Amino acid sequence: MARIAGVDLPKNKRVEIGLTYIYGIGLSASKKILESLKINLDTKVESLSESEVRDIRKIIDNEYKVEGELRTQLSMNIKRLMDLGLYRGLRHRRSLPVRGQRTSTNARTRKGPRRAAIKKKAVAGKK
């Protein structure tokens, strides 16, 4: 089993797809890595030699931010927006959509389940 950047790659998948299991490596980055090493995209992960795995690991360590390092950078970017008091930071702080979506309807994923509104009882009018 190939272990790269702290992630076990699935044995029965193609290398091109297997590398996308690493946070921060998408399909295009995966293709670039494999083309630079001249590894066939259709090769299964289990049939990679140890030297090929070592070469892939070396490229990812040197050229890409992945897993914990990338997650840390993203959370620090969001924290910076919040500390500066920017509009995007305020939206993050309030757990509302950040990129201009409507919130009067929709946005349930970000806002969470509906809270039941307390209905006021109608008081009989005095004459």
Side-chain angles (χ1 to χ4, degrees):
M1 180 178 291
R3 186 169 178 84
I4 300 174
V7 177
D8 291 329
L9 302 183
K11 292 181 195 177
N12 56 348
K13 300 230 182 226
R14 295 169 43 220
V15 183
E16 176 186 24
I17 302 300
L19 286 177
T20 62
Y21 281 62
I22 301 170
Y23 184 78
I25 303 284
L27 199 56
S28 61
S30 172
K31 287 180 183 178
K32 284 180 189 174
I33 292 168
L34 296 174
E35 286 172 6
S36 68
L37 294 173
K38 295 180 175 61
I39 297 174
N40 187 3
L41 301 177
D42 294 328
T43 309
K44 298 279 186 177
V45 172
E46 62 189 354
S47 60
L48 285 175
S49 68
E50 192 58 43
S51 63
E52 289 173 330
V53 173
R54 194 177 326 108
D55 292 340
I56 292 171
R57 193 177 296 131
K58 192 180 297 181
I59 285 182
I60 289 176
D61 288 343
N62 294 336
E63 299 179 16
Y64 293 91
K65 278 192 176 179
V66 292
E67 291 297 326
E69 187 180 355
L70 181 59
R71 291 179 206 269
T72 304
Q73 181 184 3
L74 292 176
S75 67
M76 291 303 292
N77 288 344
I78 292 172
K79 187 176 184 327
R80 177 180 52 82
L81 293 172
M82 289 166 59
D83 291 343
L84 291 173
L86 300 177
Y87 180 76
R88 279 176 55 200
L90 296 175
R91 302 298 282 181
H92 276 291
R93 188 177 298 145
R94 294 178 186 162
S95 297
L96 291 170
V98 177
R99 297 184 176 175
Q101 298 90 335
R102 69 181 302 136
T103 56
S104 58
T105 61
N106 303 331
R108 289 275 48 114
T109 302
R110 193 79 172 132
K111 291 169 81 173
R114 287 199 174 102
R115 289 185 286 261
I118 301 170
K119 294 186 178 182
K120 296 179 182 177
K121 294 182 180 178
V123 179
K126 298 179 182 175
K127 292 185 182 180

